Amino acid sequence: CTYWSSLVKRTELSSISLYEGMIGRYGLGPSKQPERNLQFSSFDSLPPVAIQKTYVFPYSVSALGLPLTSHGITSKSLYMAIEGGHIFSLDRKWVDPRRPLNEPTKIEKEEKLLQYQPIIPVHRLNVLSYGNEVARTREIVTSPAKLESISVLLAAGLDLFCTRATPSKTFDLLAPTFNYSMLLTVIAGLVAVNIVARSASRRKTLNALWA
């Protein structure tokens, strides 16, 4: 959530993550699964572990939104309507409450955790509204598309703005410059090699039987 801090006169963003049922590093695998009780009671369960961090955002925020995709595989981002009429996309890694205060360890680097910095950087390349001004945005709504990598975003206020958002880029969509002829050539070559190899294998087997 975002809020205006009257104490220090700035916009702050607070991020909270809740974790429960933590599993050890080697507690989950193809041949090992944690034990689960089929009966569950809210009175017996342990309270979740809450991790929280606060960040400073250099612009005021009027609306927030989250991406929705067809299968929920795409990386998580935060869509924000900021001052100036811009729609900004913020990667979750910048507001992850698990960001370490010290230099990240090897395991933390493998999880792509960045060292904690209180001020969130704003890159112009992450502005989804481009050069358009979306005035007085009050709500950001997203909807999944047929492709997992695409989420349709609608910003509503005094103006309406709709665009495609791709938090993980278009990983399931071929580029317009994709070389289809090369792909067909490679497939045809593999089929030809498979036919020749199969014929040679049959001939070798037949010669071995006649020997």
Side-chain angles (χ1 to χ4, degrees), residues 3 5 51 98 110 114 126 141 160 170 182 187-189 206:
Y3 55 89
S5 176
I51 303 177
R98 298 186 302 146
E110 291 177 354
L114 305 175
N126 294 332
V141 181
L160 291 176
T170 52
M182 178 62 71
I187 293 176
L206 182 61

Side-chain angles (χ1 to χ4, degrees), residues 16-41:
I16 303 175
S17 292
L18 301 178
Y19 298 92
E20 64 178 357
M22 294 187 178
I23 303 173
R25 183 176 181 181
Y26 303 102
L28 181 63
S31 60
K32 186 176 182 181
Q33 297 182 358
E35 297 181 359
R36 294 183 179 180
N37 190 356
L38 298 179
Q39 296 181 352
F40 175 82
S41 174

Side-chain angles (χ1 to χ4, degrees), residues 1-210:
C1 65
T2 60
Y3 55 89
W4 173 258
S5 176
S6 58
L7 181 63
V8 291
K9 310 298 182 183
R10 65 188 183 189
T11 301
E12 295 183 352
L13 190 152
S14 183
S15 176
I16 303 175
S17 292
L18 301 178
Y19 298 92
E20 64 178 357
M22 294 187 178
I23 303 173
R25 183 176 181 181
Y26 303 102
L28 181 63
S31 60
K32 186 176 182 181
Q33 297 182 358
E35 297 181 359
R36 294 183 179 180
N37 190 356
L38 298 179
Q39 296 181 352
F40 175 82
S41 174
S42 300
F43 296 100
D44 300 333
S45 61
L46 297 176
V49 178
I51 303 177
Q52 184 270 344
K53 275 189 175 62
T54 300
Y55 300 90
V56 178
F57 196 73
Y59 299 97
S60 61
V61 180
S62 61
L64 294 174
L66 295 173
L68 291 178
T69 56
S70 55
H71 300 288
I73 302 174
T74 304
S75 301
K76 303 302 179 185
S77 295
L78 183 64
Y79 301 138
M80 315 169 72
I82 62 177
E83 62 180 276
H86 300 300
I87 307 299
F88 180 72
S89 176
L90 180 65
D91 196 310
R92 185 183 182 275
K93 67 180 181 180
W94 296 108
V95 294
D96 195 330
R98 298 186 302 146
R99 290 178 62 178
L101 298 177
N102 300 320
E103 182 71 21
T105 62
K106 182 179 179 181
I107 297 178
E108 291 172 338
K109 289 181 179 179
E110 291 177 354
E111 296 185 28
K112 299 182 180 180
L113 292 176
L114 305 175
Q115 186 174 359
Y116 174 77
Q117 297 291 338
I119 300 178
I120 297 176
V122 176
H123 300 289
R124 295 297 179 181
L125 295 177
N126 294 332
V127 176
L128 301 180
S129 53
Y130 312 104
N132 302 309
E133 181 180 348
V134 188
R136 301 181 187 177
T137 303
R138 296 189 303 269
E139 186 177 8
I140 296 177
V141 181
T142 58
S143 177
K146 291 183 178 180
L147 295 177
E148 169 61 24
S149 62
I150 297 176
S151 179
V152 181
L153 180 146
L154 174 66
L158 184 61
D159 296 327
L160 291 176
F161 176 77
C162 185
T163 186
R164 297 190 312 169
T166 53
S168 298
K169 308 300 181 183
T170 52
F171 61 86
D172 54 356
L173 185 65
L174 294 177
T177 57
F178 184 79
N179 195 340
Y180 291 94
S181 59
M182 178 62 71
L183 177 62
L184 294 176
T185 302
V186 172
I187 293 176
L190 292 175
V191 171
V193 170
N194 186 27
I195 294 174
V196 172
R198 185 177 298 179
S199 176
S201 177
R202 290 177 179 175
R203 190 180 303 111
K204 183 178 179 180
T205 304
L206 182 61
N207 293 336
L209 293 175
W210 281 100

